Amino acid sequence: MKFRLAQNTKLEILKYILSMLMVMFIGTCIILSQGNSPTEAFSALITGSVGSVSAIGTTIRWATPSIITGIAAVIAFKSGIWNVGIEGQMYFGAFLAAIIGASVAVPKIIHIPLCLAAAGIGGMLFAFIPAILKLTLNVNELICTLMLNYAASLFTEYLTFKYMGFDASELADAIATPDMLPTARLGTIIPKTSASTAIFIALGIAILVYLLYKYTVKGYELKMVGENLRFSKYGGINYKRTFILIFLLSGFIAGVCGGTEMTGSFGKFRPAFATNLGWDGVMIASIAKNNPIAVIFISIFWGMLKSGSFHMERVTNTNRLVISVLQAVFVLLVAVDYEALYKWLCEKRQIRMLRSQKGEV
């Protein structure tokens, strides 16, 4: 059994390596087709991610929300629930955190946890909508959470507009909540960078979720609901209550991500502040095979790519969207079941051999 586990691990590592090599090859072809130098582009990518203290700080900054949204996705996906509304839940969390951070004057030791708790509750309440719709009206949670992302983005923009008292459309670019008080802001871990202490919150969440699934009865119940719904029902697990709990927990963590973005990097809520952060979490969870610890390492790599892509666009003629395309391609390549593909090819080969032998006879 131990050998089998080790063998499976080696195969998974080999799959990641081959996928990475294929992505680099595809990226080279895309960059060459644009008339640019792949060597310069990849060199700038590395320099922009780990080439200086400032670059490392930017990598940490982007890895932080990736970890938290990745864990929010893991909780849902590990239990067989398609919560792709993480970005919308993050918006509501961020909005509430920004309001609490700007309007409530309390000591820092209370203010930051208060902002993050409000953010988590905001994300949790918004996640309750698709959960209750699924249980009462059997509304598909994938479609529901997907569409609610747009509702969250537009509704929080409307709330911000009204909160600030704007009444003219030409002020749309200025829509933002007031600056959060200094007591609501997280500290930086690398001076003159956007890397904040939110990274420790992200790591703490990932470790707690790992321990939840590995060592607790509740974690076992959450996992069983996803792996075998019929077995979980016969095993005495309250499916409806557990289903809602999964959605609320996933939404809470997504909301906390919005809170860390406000208390850390932004300091105020602006509409459309999250540039696909929710989708990053979904992709990272898929690559990590819903493993919370793997999410940490993949998120760091994700942060390196995002940090490096901005630098690459500044110093070369390669558009940073090329990296976004390669990230999506990497997800697709990792998702392929190469073992099943290999077996299918072997079967096809055997069939051809048998047919050729019959033809010879």
Side-chain angles (χ1 to χ4, degrees):
M1 183 66 179
K2 289 183 179 179
F3 172 78
R4 186 176 180 182
L5 289 173
Q7 189 68 20
N8 288 338
T9 302
K10 290 178 181 178
L11 290 174
E12 284 295 318
I13 293 173
L14 180 61
K15 181 167 75 170
Y16 281 111
I17 293 173
L18 291 175
S19 298
M20 181 62 65
L21 293 174
M22 291 174 68
V23 165
M24 291 182 66
F25 174 75
I26 295 171
T28 299
C29 294
I30 294 174
I31 294 170
L32 284 173
S33 68
Q34 297 176 338
N36 300 321
S37 169
T39 304
E40 290 181 2
F42 288 128
S43 177
L45 188 69
I46 295 171
T47 302
S49 58
V50 294
S52 64
V53 174
S54 176
I56 293 173
T58 307
T59 294
I60 294 173
R61 181 267 176 274
W62 288 115
T64 300
S66 298
I67 294 173
I68 303 178
T69 55
I71 294 300
V74 163
I75 289 174
F77 298 166
K78 204 174 184 69
S79 300
I81 296 173
W82 287 98
N83 176 20
V84 294
I86 293 170
E87 191 152 317
Q89 294 146 23
M90 186 172 61
Y91 269 105
F92 265 91
F95 178 77
L96 288 181
I99 297 300
I100 297 295
S103 58
V104 179
V106 290
K108 191 171 187 131
I109 195 172
I110 298 175
H111 208 174
I112 292 175
L114 183 64
C115 290
L116 296 180
I121 292 171
M124 184 172 65
L125 291 176
F126 197 65
F128 183 73
I129 298 173
I132 202 67
L133 287 175
K134 172 67 175 180
L135 290 177
T136 57
L137 302 176
N138 197 30
V139 177
N140 185 286
E141 73 271 18
L142 174 63
I143 298 173
C144 186
T145 53
L146 176 63
M147 299 310 296
L148 282 173
N149 282 330
Y150 301 100
S153 176
L154 295 172
F155 190 54
T156 51
E157 181 176 353
Y158 169 79
L159 291 176
T160 306
F161 196 88
K162 290 300 181 182
Y163 180 80
M164 293 301 295
F166 292 145
D167 57 2
S169 59
E170 62 266 18
L171 294 176
D173 291 338
I175 298 176
T177 58
D179 290 333
M180 298 173 70
L181 299 172
T183 53
R185 300 300 304 276
L186 294 167
T188 58
I189 57 175
I190 300 178
K192 299 181 180 180
T193 70
S194 53
S196 71
T197 51
I199 184 64
F200 301 119
I201 297 174
L203 293 174
I205 290 173
I207 293 171
L208 285 175
V209 170
Y210 171 77
L211 295 175
L212 169 70
Y213 278 104
K214 191 166 183 66
Y215 295 110
T216 68
V217 175
K218 180 55 67 177
Y220 174 77
E221 291 180 357
L222 297 178
K223 188 178 178 182
M224 282 298 101
V225 168
E227 290 188 351
N228 194 322
L229 176 58
R230 183 175 297 177
F231 173 79
S232 66
K233 288 180 178 179
Y234 287 126
I237 297 174
N238 188 324
Y239 167 69
K240 291 185 177 180
R241 185 178 63 188
T242 304
F243 181 87
I244 292 177
L245 176 62
I246 293 165
F247 246 117
L248 295 183
L249 184 56
S250 179
F252 182 87
I253 293 176
V256 168
C257 182
T260 57
E261 286 294 284
M262 295 300 106
T263 57
S265 301
F266 287 95
K268 64 171 69 174
F269 179 86
R270 288 185 181 276
F273 76 93
T275 311
N276 294 325
L277 291 179
W279 290 110
D280 284 347
V282 170
M283 289 191 288
I284 289 167
S286 300
I287 296 172
K289 305 294 185 182
N290 298 328
N291 185 319
I293 301 302
V295 164
I296 295 174
F297 294 101
I298 294 171
S299 296
I300 293 172
F301 176 69
W302 217 255
M304 291 171 62
L305 289 177
K306 185 165 284 191
S307 174
S309 66
F310 286 108
H311 179 75
M312 180 187 71
E313 188 175 53
R314 285 195 300 268
V315 301
T316 70
N317 294 323
T318 304
N319 194 297
R320 63 184 173 86
L321 294 179
V322 171
I323 302 303
S324 298
V325 172
L326 295 181
Q327 286 175 320
V329 171
F330 183 66
V331 174
L332 292 174
L333 292 175
V334 170
V336 173
D337 189 343
Y338 291 100
E339 185 176 357
L341 179 61
Y342 176 75
K343 289 180 179 178
W344 180 78
L345 291 174
C346 288
E347 290 175 359
K348 288 290 184 181
R349 183 185 177 188
Q350 290 176 352
I351 291 172
R352 285 196 301 268
M353 290 176 64
L354 289 173
R355 286 177 178 175
S356 64
Q357 287 175 1
K358 289 180 179 180
E360 291 175 359
V361 173

